[in-house]
Amino acid sequence: MPLLLGGNGPKGQRLAVRFADIYSCYIEERASAEEVEPRIASLEAICAELGRDPASIGRSVGVWVRPLEPAGVRPSTLSGSAEQIADAVRSFHGVGFTQVELMYLPGTMEALEALAPVVEVLRAD
């Protein structure tokens, strides 16, 4: 069973590099790849320091998604059309993440069901 350890700073990254199969971080201010891209560089530097092959650790990012809201309402969450949300998810892969954790708000069936078209768009890739 893969072990995922997370944290946004070097301490969490160091523990993930030493013990985990997957490193996870999360969005704090802006739901964009640009916010978390420096964490990949930091993770890889720690891998080099500790002698771990950077390709041997998965990279996950957690982001809040509000699929019922128009794009850009809250900078720290993904929102908008299925294609807009899918584009944002793809951008995380573009900077080195191997998986994305979508945490939806509000925590209703309506919001969960509104994510289905996002998944369909991503699966079509």
Side-chain angles (χ1 to χ4, degrees), residues 6-121:
N8 280 350
K11 186 174 182 177
Q13 289 179 320
R14 190 171 298 283
L15 288 171
V17 167
R18 288 182 63 210
F19 301 114
D21 302 293
I22 303 165
Y23 162 69
S24 178
C25 62
Y26 54 90
I27 295 295
E28 293 179 294
E29 296 177 20
R30 297 203 58 77
S32 70
E34 290 77 27
E35 178 181 322
V36 290
E37 184 175 18
R39 295 183 195 146
I40 294 293
S42 175
L43 180 75
E44 290 179 353
I46 292 168
C47 282
E49 176 189 329
L50 297 180
R52 180 167 182 177
D53 177 4
S56 72
I57 188 167
R59 298 112 192 268
S60 185
V61 61
V63 60
W64 289 104
V65 181
R66 292 180 177 267
L68 303 173
E69 289 186 359
V73 173
R74 301 168 202 261
S76 62
T77 63
L78 299 179
S79 58
S81 69
E83 191 60 49
Q84 288 171 311
I85 294 171
D87 284 346
V89 169
R90 287 185 200 102
S91 73
F92 293 112
H93 184 264
V95 298
F97 287 92
T98 57
Q99 69 185 47
V100 177
E101 305 157 40
L102 300 177
M103 304 167 292
Y104 63 94
L105 290 171
T108 63
M109 284 305 297
E110 181 184 14
L112 178 59
E113 290 168 353
L115 278 178
V118 175
V119 173
E120 289 173 12
V121 168

